[in-house]
Amino acid sequence: MDATHSLANRPYEIFCGAIRAVVGMSEATINLVGTELLLSLFGARDQHLRQIREALQVDITHRDGTIRVQGLADSVVRATEVLEQLKALAERQGVLSSNDVDAALGNASNHATTIHEPPIATATAGRHVRPRTSGQHAYVNAMRNHMLTFAVGPAGTGKTYLAVALAVEALTTHLIRKICLVRPAVEAGERLGFLPGDLQAKIHPYLRPLLDALNETMDYEQARQRMDLDIIEVAPLAYMRGRTLNDAFIILDEAQNTTVAQMKMFLTRMGTGSRIVVAGDPTQVDLPPNTCSGLSDAISRLQGIKGIATVRLNKADIVRHRLVQEIVQAYDEAER
């Protein structure tokens, strides 16, 4: 049996591909089913190939019906997955657009990580969540194995989403009795003034990101029913003072916008059988000038304590639209 045939069933191989490592680099050779797909797949003047090359930093060439992809291992895997998606789409609809390429790049996952990673079971029938990068894999393992986990990283790295998914799994499997989603009510550089409505209506805009993550991992009616029963609580940080939460999965989102005193107050809410995840992006602090972020302070102050883990995600772990990665990179370079 040749190498091409032995690899044919691997989910990230396309057509008849074979991947081999070459001094820290990888190479994929892809035999096209039909050359009539080439123009649609590559785009006019190879514009689709250029999009993939620039996004994933791989080299893609074509000769005699064979596509060759070269680059870092993860990038080659993702590039072959993108090409597989685009090939299937071209077979269905013919001409491809640059938006189709963007969508395929956004959907491409790091199979080298996810292939052996057990899924996080959500409360939605048939739906599972998997970490899609090595950083996310480390993050999930940290949450599973530590009572307190700090997660820092840019937008789009799955800090909140994965924590909520793991909390829903723990609730569904009866490892905990309550989920508590917490967020500081700090405006992101804007003064919204006095919001109309009762207390719930006033705090709802601040808690919307947590509700979005919850609705992704649990049916709406299930979530609403459990919130009515106080099994799931979504609350501003100020509501945590004076409480002790037992057998709970507690998530603090946007933790970079807590003060040192608020962070101390929050962390001491942990009761018996509880787990805490603290997530934030130190580059997006909305506190008043000269105010120390409780997130950075806590990570520095609590390092080395057994049972506490700190996971640092970076732009390589961003799984939103590919432009988010480039936006973060541009801002990072400007700040340096």
Side-chain angles (χ1 to χ4, degrees):
M1 181 182 296
D2 60 24
T4 298
H5 182 71
S6 66
L7 292 173
N9 293 325
R10 294 177 68 174
Y12 51 82
E13 300 291 352
I14 66 179
F15 323 125
C16 299
I19 296 180
R20 62 185 177 83
V22 184
V23 197
M25 304 290 283
S26 284
E27 179 182 291
T29 56
I30 305 159
N31 298 320
L32 288 179
V33 174
T35 56
E36 67 277 3
L37 291 174
L38 275 178
L39 180 59
S40 181
L41 187 62
F42 292 176
R45 299 180 181 177
D46 290 346
Q47 61 178 355
H48 299 337
L49 284 192
R50 285 199 298 273
Q51 278 183 262
I52 300 171
R53 287 176 186 137
E54 293 171 3
L56 299 178
Q57 298 299 301
V58 293
D59 182 42
I60 304 174
T61 57
H62 169 260
R63 184 176 182 180
D64 298 330
T66 299
I67 298 175
R68 190 181 302 277
V69 185
Q70 294 175 307
L72 295 177
D74 287 350
S75 297
V76 169
V77 169
R78 295 183 68 187
T80 55
E81 182 181 353
V82 168
L83 289 168
E84 180 181 35
Q85 292 182 37
L86 293 176
K87 186 260 183 181
L89 189 60
E91 289 177 335
R92 292 197 305 269
Q93 69 181 35
V95 178
L96 300 175
S97 69
S98 61
N99 288 336
D100 294 326
V101 180
D102 275 337
L105 286 167
N107 291 332
S109 59
N110 184 345
H111 285 302
T113 297
T114 62
I115 246 179
H116 304 294
E117 175 66 26
I120 302 171
T122 68
T124 304
R127 180 179 175 84
H128 294 86
V129 175
R130 293 178 184 268
R132 293 172 57 179
T133 69
S134 58
Q136 290 185 346
H137 174 76
Y139 179 34
V140 170
N141 281 341
M143 289 189 287
R144 290 190 188 279
N145 297 310
H146 295 83
M147 305 308 294
L148 171 59
T149 302
F150 291 99
V152 296
T157 51
K159 301 184 299 295
T160 304
Y161 181 75
L162 290 173
V164 171
L166 211 61
V168 170
E169 179 188 64
L171 182 65
T172 304
T173 55
H174 307 292
L175 295 176
I176 56 167
R177 294 188 294 110
K178 182 182 179 69
I179 296 175
C180 192
L181 309 175
V182 185
R183 199 169 188 261
V186 176
E187 297 163 348
E190 297 179 90
R191 293 298 178 188
L192 302 180
F194 293 101
L195 295 173
D198 59 14
L199 182 60
Q200 288 301 316
K202 291 178 186 295
I203 65 174
H204 185 269
Y206 298 104
L207 305 177
R208 184 74 255 178
L210 290 171
L211 293 170
D212 289 341
L214 184 63
N215 290 332
E216 283 283 322
T217 54
M218 181 177 288
D219 291 333
Y220 177 82
E221 290 302 324
Q222 281 184 307
R224 177 54 55 190
Q225 182 181 28
R226 293 181 179 184
M227 290 173 72
D228 289 342
L229 295 172
D230 204 34
I231 296 173
I232 298 176
E233 179 182 3
V234 185
L237 179 59
Y239 280 34
M240 293 297 102
R241 187 173 297 278
R243 302 177 62 183
T244 300
L245 298 170
N246 296 315
D247 299 315
F249 200 117
I250 314 160
I251 301 170
L252 174 59
D253 192 29
E254 299 293 334
Q256 75 276 4
N257 288 328
T258 62
T259 64
V260 174
Q262 286 174 326
M263 180 62 75
K264 177 184 176 183
M265 178 272 292
F266 172 78
L267 294 177
T268 53
R269 301 308 96 200
M270 178 186 281
T272 304
S274 289
R275 290 180 182 268
I276 289 181
V277 176
V278 178
D281 180 359
T283 69
Q284 296 190 29
V285 177
D286 300 310
L287 294 170
N290 302 318
T291 302
C292 180
S293 170
L295 175 61
S296 300
D297 176 82
I299 291 174
S300 174
R301 191 186 298 267
L302 303 179
Q303 62 180 339
I305 296 179
K306 187 177 180 180
I308 299 177
T310 299
V311 179
R312 300 183 185 276
L313 303 169
N314 56 50
K315 57 182 177 290
D317 300 304
I318 294 175
V319 293
R320 290 182 186 168
H321 193 287
R322 68 173 184 83
L323 283 179
V324 175
Q325 218 171 40
E326 297 180 23
I327 290 168
V328 170
Q329 175 70 26
Y331 276 95
D332 284 348
E333 289 175 356
E335 289 173 2
R336 286 196 295 268

